[in-house]
Amino acid sequence: MEPMLCPGCKTNRTRFNIIEQHPKAVKLHPQTGEIETEYTNGALDPFHLPYRGPSYRVQCAACGLIENAETFVKHAQHFSEVNKW
């Protein structure tokens, strides 16, 4: 992990929630919304793209903002560069 700073509240550097994402590929019934088929990554339908998003996201435990971890890291890097003086 790298230092983080919340871009929302701009004060939190220490309290975060790491949200692990475990995607499940499914096909839903169009009228009922019930799961018709649950796919594994090796056996997806030809029209079903595999999940390519981040494996986790970060939530600021002060203001509740949820973003990719890179957003919090980049904000901390930018803030430290601006305030070097």
Side-chain angles (χ1 to χ4, degrees):
M1 292 241 107
E2 296 184 51
M4 290 193 250
L5 173 62
C6 178
C9 63
K10 297 176 180 53
T11 57
N12 181 25
R13 291 181 166 272
T14 59
R15 301 187 191 288
F16 299 97
N17 297 312
I18 305 298
I19 304 167
E20 294 181 358
Q21 299 193 128
H22 302 283
K24 183 191 303 187
V26 297
K27 181 179 179 182
L28 302 179
H29 187 278
Q31 281 77 36
T32 65
E34 292 184 29
I35 295 175
E36 287 185 344
T37 309
E38 190 171 327
Y39 301 106
T40 62
N41 281 342
L44 290 176
D45 182 284
F47 297 105
H48 198 117
L49 295 174
Y51 178 73
R52 293 193 178 114
S55 59
Y56 70 93
R57 297 190 68 172
V58 175
Q59 180 183 34
C60 174
C63 73
L65 178 72
I66 299 173
E67 292 288 340
N68 291 333
E70 295 83 32
T71 303
F72 289 88
V73 171
K74 292 289 184 190
H75 197 68
Q77 291 170 347
H78 175 74
F79 186 79
S80 66
E81 288 175 9
V82 169
N83 293 316
K84 280 186 178 179
W85 312 101

